Amino acid sequence: MRYAMAVDTRKCVGCSDCVVACQTENEIPIGFCRDWIVEVTDGTYPQLEMEIRSERCNHCKNAPCVRCCPTGASHVVDGGIVLVTRNKCIGCGACIASCPYDARYPHPAGYVDKCTFCENRVKNGMSPACVAVCPTRCLYFGDLDDPNSNVSVVLKKRKYKTLIPEAGTQPQLYFMI
Amino acid sequence: MKEELIVSGRMNHMVDPNLHIWHWQIPLYLFLGGMAAGILCIAALYFIRGREKDYRTAVRITPFLAPGLLVLGLIALFFDLRHKLFFWQLYTNIRLQSPMSWGAWALMVITPVSFIWCALHMRDLFPRWDWKYRWLKELEKFFNKYKKALAWVMLIYGIILGIYTGILLSAFNARPLWNTSILGPLFLASGLSAGAAATLLLSKNKEERKQFARIDLVIIGIELFLIVHMFMGFLASTQVQIDAANLFLGGPYTATFWIFVIFLGMLIPALLEIMELRKFYVPALVPAVLVIFGSFMLRFIIVYAGQMSRWLY
């Protein structure tokens, strides 16, 4: 099993509903977020191109955060989801520094926090909060090993990219362009 | 001109707009640990080679600084942790891929070893010292018997500790400035030069001082060589590493790096030591303090600048 998410950058309007849904679902402390919107504008006026992306942890296949964790608090569970065990985390910050996507943050309670692909929901057959709430339905979540899953189907039809693949992380967030 | 404008909705404390997750604690610890590693390596090396008589201060006196430096460093490390009460998790796990785990375990070995080494030389510092209890005397006898083995442990773990302070940073490919394997040897060399400077500071023997001025000179030469190679490597690498090098070549850290690390921390003490070896009068305090200060600044600047260096996407 290999969970992954696909983001349709052509459908995303950057409304930030995914961000708020995540903060609500996961009780994120005020002033922090596990997912966020990035808007990139490229080119020379008047020839401009814009891309809007809903970003979060890439749940990398080769995760630097898991490698550098001195206690094993950062670990990979079934389906390739990267998680942090709270009472194993010492808050040293190594994983935060190791993430090229800056997807982790120090929770005010001391441990390090990040996107979990809403593991609790996914385990029970639901989709992650951000996916469930997206008003333009630009987020797709599912199992890449299953050829009939949402993600597999949509990635077969469209062109896509991943973010800084040259960092060697093998990210599992696909942006359809 | 083609331009790119990136607007991010993320504003996580200590992560945006620039990473600033590690503050004074980490570079301070890297410096203290590196210097202690340098002191212990030099002491162990001269002891193993049987030069204890010629370099008495380096083998017997300077190591008294090491336990203090290590303990202070550990306290600094503890301050860095945000989930402090769970620190013991470091010692219920061995993670071979994590430099920090290596470091935690190396400290676990070398800190007690450094205390034992000092205990064996208590009489050098306090001539009338007496271990009051019988079992303490037995223990002293035991360690004296295996002193050479102890010295080997100290040498090997000293090298691991010295290199690890650099590898800790170079393992992060997310921070292009840190992501160079030169940092390992560079920090080891810098720790050794600080350790040599400590003996230069404490020794009252002229010959020993001369020897350590020579050692310092050689290590400063090695450090400069490594730094030049570091920049050559960066400038011949990808755009993110070119940007990383530019933090020091015109960027915000240019003045601090070249003035404090290169000029005051390496070139001036090297010049003073050459003068001393040429029989000019130079108070030993000046080059020694400058070298230690330079070694401290090197870590501070690398840790802070590294957090500014990043991939842009």
Side-chain angles (χ1 to χ4, degrees), chain B residues 15-27:
Chain B
V15 177
D16 299 306
N18 277 310
L19 187 72
H20 45 286
I21 192 78
W22 282 347
H23 306 111
W24 57 270
Q25 299 95 331
I26 295 287

Side-chain angles (χ1 to χ4, degrees), chain B residues 7 11 61 71 107 133 145 168 198 248 263:
Chain B
V7 181
M11 204 59 213
I61 306 295
V71 168
L107 280 170
Y133 302 98
K145 201 171 143 198
L168 174 73
F248 295 147
F263 193 67

Side-chain angles (χ1 to χ4, degrees), chain B residues 258-284:
Chain B
W258 294 97
I259 292 175
F260 290 118
V261 177
I262 303 294
F263 193 67
L264 285 178
M266 293 181 191
L267 296 180
I268 295 280
L271 189 73
L272 289 175
E273 273 157 8
I274 291 173
M275 280 169 65
E276 195 179 4
L277 291 172
R278 293 259 164 104
K279 310 242 161 48
F280 285 94
Y281 172 73
V282 178

Side-chain angles (χ1 to χ4, degrees), chain A residues 4-22 35-38 52-57 115 117-118 127-142 149-152 154-155 158 172-176:
Chain A
M5 195 180 282
V7 182
D8 192 339
T9 60
R10 293 182 168 247
K11 276 207 297 194
C12 179
V13 292
C15 69
S16 293
D17 220 5
C18 48
V19 180
V20 178
C22 171
D35 58 351
W36 59 92
I37 298 290
V38 173
I52 306 179
R53 303 191 295 249
S54 165
E55 292 185 10
R56 59 193 53 54
C57 168
C115 162
F117 266 170
C118 284
S127 51
C130 52
V131 177
V133 81
C134 177
T136 64
R137 299 181 183 236
C138 73
L139 298 174
Y140 301 82
F141 179 81
S149 73
N150 264 347
V151 201
S152 303
V154 79
L155 286 181
R158 294 276 299 272
Q172 297 301 313
L173 217 52
Y174 296 88
F175 294 91
M176 295 184 284

Side-chain angles (χ1 to χ4, degrees), chain A residues 31-44 53 55 58 64 66-72 74 86-112 163-164 166-169, chain B residues 1-19 21-22 26 80-102 104-105 168 171-175 178 307 310-313:
Chain A
F32 293 95
C33 57
R34 285 183 185 178
D35 58 351
W36 59 92
I37 298 290
V38 173
E39 298 178 8
V40 184
T41 313
D42 253 321
T44 319
R53 303 191 295 249
E55 292 185 10
N58 281 269
V66 174
R67 238 183 298 135
C68 74
C69 177
T71 66
S74 284
R86 289 179 185 181
N87 55 12
K88 259 186 129 179
C89 174
I90 59 175
C92 66
C95 56
I96 296 179
S98 80
C99 178
Y101 310 101
D102 286 336
R104 292 168 167 246
Y105 68 90
H107 192 283
Y111 54 84
V112 172
L163 298 179
I164 27 176
E166 60 271 32
T169 48
Chain B
M1 200 177 78
K2 186 174 155 49
E3 281 187 355
E4 189 172 59
L5 185 70
I6 301 179
V7 181
S8 169
R10 191 185 62 202
M11 204 59 213
N12 282 342
H13 180 47
M14 289 199 261
V15 177
D16 299 306
N18 277 310
L19 187 72
I21 192 78
W22 282 347
I26 295 287
D80 167 68
L81 300 183
R82 269 161 281 270
H83 221 199
K84 291 186 172 42
L85 292 179
F86 292 85
F87 78 94
W88 51 270
Q89 285 283 356
L90 280 172
Y91 295 108
T92 53
N93 293 282
I94 295 180
R95 309 260 317 155
L96 292 179
Q97 283 190 312
S98 160
M100 205 179 269
S101 181
W102 274 84
W105 284 102
L168 174 73
F172 295 139
N173 89 345
R175 313 295 149 197
W178 291 344
Q307 297 186 78
R310 58 171 301 175
W311 295 78
L312 257 189
Y313 58 91

